[in-house]
Amino acid sequence: MATHYCAQGNQPRLVLTDGDTKDFVFEILDATNLTDPGSSHLVRLRFTINEDGSLERSETYRHSDAQETSRLHLHRIDAVTQTIDHGS
């Protein structure tokens, strides 16, 4: 189960409906503080671990009868070593 604490003030709760070791799909179960079911709220959350180790996150929001999905692709970079000059 996952809870999305939205900046809009609602809190959709999602349950894992499909998945394996590299793909996890959460669908809405219910939501607290969602005063108008037609207002925008998260209905689907998906995490996919790609072969190269990158992570794809997609969020689907519903507003009235329309849905909109956004995707975020995250990948690792090598650690950055930073030297700080303390003025000595």
Side-chain angles (χ1 to χ4, degrees):
M1 180 172 271
T3 302
H4 173 69
Y5 295 94
C6 187
Q8 297 173 35
N10 58 55
Q11 299 83 31
R13 294 189 314 154
L14 306 108
V15 293
L16 185 66
T17 58
D18 191 17
D20 55 37
T21 59
K22 298 204 179 256
D23 191 39
F24 306 91
V25 181
F26 295 85
E27 301 279 347
I28 190 163
L29 172 67
D30 57 16
T32 58
N33 207 33
L34 184 63
T35 55
D36 176 7
S39 64
S40 181
H41 61 284
L42 184 69
V43 294
R44 188 169 199 254
L45 178 62
R46 182 177 193 168
F47 296 99
T48 304
I49 302 170
N50 299 311
E51 291 298 320
D52 65 357
S54 63
L55 177 69
E56 186 92 20
R57 183 190 80 187
S58 66
E59 296 180 343
T60 301
Y61 285 82
R62 180 178 300 140
H63 180 80
S64 298
D65 290 331
Q67 290 192 34
E68 182 178 325
T69 300
S70 63
R71 289 182 177 79
L72 179 63
H73 185 85
L74 303 165
H75 62 94
R76 294 179 186 179
I77 59 171
D78 292 334
V80 176
T81 304
Q82 182 177 6
T83 304
I84 299 174
D85 182 4
H86 294 285
S88 48

